[in-house]
Amino acid sequence: MLHTPLHRALGLPPGPLTDQMIQDAVDQGIEESDELDWKTKLPPQKEFRTSDSVKDIAAFANAGGGLLVFGVTETEKAADGREDAGELTENYERTIRQACMTAITPPVFGVQTQPISSSTGKRAVALLVPASPDGPHLVYRDDVFGAPLRTGTDTHWMREQQIAEAYRARFERARRGEQALQEIYDDMAAALRAPGVAVLVGAARPRTLRPRTDHDSDATTLAYRAQHLTRWWLSGNSPYGPLEDVKIANPRPTLSGQHLPPENAGDLREAHVVILDDGSIGMSWRAGGHKHEKTGVPYEAHQIPAIAIEAFIAALVALVHTVAGDKPSGDYEIILGIEEGNAARAPLEVHERSAAPPAGVHRTVSGTFRPIRATVDPSSNDEAFIGAAVDVATSALNQVGINKPWILSSSLPRRPRELT
């Protein structure tokens, strides 16, 4: 759900951008700010790449994000009228995305485009630019590179010292982000770590954190949507995965988010999920000792069926999708691992789907599993996002001698309704 600079300027709660909001801004004479810019018309599509709009996108990304609204006239920075912004076609949207990728260095990811129709025929178009962890963003103008920065209602070019400080800030954010992601992972592993028991652990964190709120996201709704996607991806509406083993309807508040406790603490399918206020996610699931899906024969505590890895990754990536869709935050960093606790009784083993215990065993090198790290874009199209889950699962299974996922791969041609 959107909470844009225009929502804040009008004193409105999160919600969609509407024609009435544009009209209210004009009626109230809402002024431009360091995060809001009025534009009269979209530039011709062929000229967008060289237009000032690209510089404005980079400037907002360098300054914490902002909103460009086309279709509004202004006098001395205050909105005072409506114009028809022009048509935002699918092809034009593609041009905007390409410009964000090729006309700005490094690219600005996650820019959202939204056409806003009007009964008066005066259409508006909004471009929502997220804060970026990759600043400073530079644009190429007049044979030189420059880094634009939004300051108040104006856009200026960064000086050398400002650029140097922006680079230092980028590297420090990356360091802190990696540390925070690892802390979430470690906390989820500690919640279930037991000697000899194999546990799947995952954590995900947006590269651009959203503002903290008072637990205003509905963890139950987000988890149910992710559960539905996971079942779809695993085919046959299979109720197997960590989201099946937590109390979705009974989240517990924590200091910085909400915790979905296990259905049965101490069970061999005990699971924990946390959804933090800044958009981060943590998940852990006891995956050793599950029963074989066909024979019902239980595995040993140090043995994991390959399908459990697929189910866990599907649930983690689906939860990223629903949480990011609730409050867009750009790319997510993901870490996935298998922990076995101290003083493990036997080397970790992963069983192929078709092999009942104890046949078909693949052992990780030296009994350890190297954590998988990946970056996913929740705003990508359906196939690409499902493909991200397949890529992570493939990397995990390759470590234990399995060529590719069996069930997730079959999900690629399909289009989950929740994603369309």
Side-chain angles (χ1 to χ4, degrees):
M1 191 172 292
L2 296 177
H3 194 216
T4 69
L6 184 54
H7 286 83
R8 292 190 284 274
L10 293 170
L12 298 176
L17 282 168
T18 65
D19 180 66
Q20 185 60 53
M21 290 175 61
I22 306 296
Q23 189 59 51
D24 289 345
V26 171
D27 294 341
Q28 297 177 32
I30 297 296
E31 295 184 355
E32 293 181 338
S33 67
D34 57 357
E35 59 177 3
L36 179 62
D37 194 5
W38 302 123
K39 300 286 186 183
T40 305
K41 291 180 178 294
L42 284 169
Q45 183 176 336
K46 292 183 179 180
E47 300 175 13
F48 184 86
R49 192 180 189 281
T50 57
S51 71
D52 282 343
S53 295
V54 172
K55 183 180 73 171
D56 293 329
I57 290 171
F60 275 140
N62 284 333
L67 181 69
L68 283 80
V69 180
F70 297 85
V72 176
T73 61
E74 52 87 9
T75 300
E76 296 183 353
K77 309 297 184 180
D80 64 0
R82 301 284 299 272
E83 290 283 349
D84 182 35
E87 184 180 7
L88 182 67
T89 64
E90 184 176 342
N91 193 42
Y92 200 137
E93 290 186 75
R94 189 157 43 246
T95 295
I96 294 174
R97 289 195 297 269
Q98 291 173 345
C100 292
M101 292 287 291
T102 61
I104 303 174
T105 303
V108 175
F109 297 103
V111 174
Q112 298 183 62
T113 57
Q114 181 175 337
I116 303 171
S117 60
S118 173
S119 59
T120 65
K122 294 181 178 179
R123 298 164 293 186
V125 172
L127 299 186
L128 182 59
V129 182
S132 173
D134 297 323
H137 294 275
L138 293 82
V139 296
Y140 190 70
R141 284 291 176 86
D142 299 325
D143 297 325
V144 296
F145 275 112
L149 179 68
R150 182 79 175 188
T151 305
T153 60
D154 298 314
T155 296
H156 301 283
W157 296 101
M158 289 188 187
R159 298 182 180 275
E160 180 184 18
Q161 183 63 30
Q162 290 176 300
I163 293 175
E165 291 174 356
Y167 276 116
R168 282 195 292 270
R170 180 208 289 188
F171 300 142
E172 179 62 16
R173 281 194 299 269
R175 186 191 67 80
R176 291 182 179 178
E178 171 61 27
Q179 182 180 13
L181 180 65
Q182 188 64 50
E183 287 176 355
I184 296 171
Y185 179 92
D186 292 341
D187 287 345
M188 299 309 297
L192 281 179
R193 186 175 284 123
V197 179
V199 176
L200 286 162
V201 183
R205 185 176 187 270
R207 297 185 67 228
T208 302
L209 297 181
R210 68 194 191 192
R212 290 184 178 273
T213 58
D214 295 327
H215 309 330
D216 59 353
S217 294
D218 185 351
T220 295
T221 299
L222 296 176
Y224 272 130
R225 285 161 55 193
Q227 183 188 67
H228 179 80
L229 287 180
T230 304
R231 289 181 176 183
W232 188 290
W233 289 350
L234 291 177
S235 75
N237 203 31
S238 174
Y240 180 64
L243 293 175
E244 308 291 341
D245 296 324
V246 293
K247 296 179 179 178
I248 292 181
N250 296 292
R252 298 174 180 173
T254 68
L255 182 63
S256 56
Q258 297 178 79
H259 170 229
L260 302 178
E263 281 284 0
N264 299 294
D267 186 79
L268 283 174
R269 281 180 52 170
E270 179 179 347
H272 294 263
V273 172
V274 293
I275 301 175
L276 304 182
D277 297 332
D278 64 8
S280 298
I281 297 161
M283 183 183 295
S284 56
W285 190 36
R286 286 190 180 179
H290 292 188
K291 294 181 179 180
H292 187 269
E293 59 178 311
K294 292 182 179 179
T295 67
V297 176
Y299 294 94
E300 297 292 333
H302 66 285
Q303 298 173 333
I304 299 179
I307 188 177
I309 296 177
E310 293 192 49
F312 185 85
I313 292 171
L316 181 63
V317 175
L319 198 55
V320 166
H321 181 79
T322 58
V323 172
D326 180 58
K327 290 186 177 178
S329 304
D331 288 353
Y332 267 71
E333 300 286 351
I334 288 178
I335 180 173
L336 167 86
I338 303 177
E339 303 290 332
E340 204 177 357
N342 299 323
R345 292 188 293 270
L348 178 67
E349 298 176 354
V350 176
H351 288 240
E352 289 184 286
R353 181 175 184 273
S354 60
V361 173
H362 295 265
R363 295 186 180 179
T364 60
V365 179
S366 302
T368 61
F369 183 91
R370 179 178 297 177
I372 303 297
R373 295 176 180 271
T375 301
V376 298
D377 177 10
S379 66
S380 60
N381 62 39
D382 303 353
E383 288 80 2
F385 200 72
I386 297 173
V390 174
D391 289 343
V392 175
T394 300
S395 297
L397 294 173
N398 284 172
Q399 285 197 46
V400 295
I402 299 176
N403 290 330
K404 64 179 181 179
W406 189 85
I407 297 179
L408 276 177
S409 294
S410 66
S411 299
L412 277 173
R414 305 189 304 156
R415 299 175 65 85
R417 292 176 188 140
E418 251 63 7
L419 293 179
T420 56

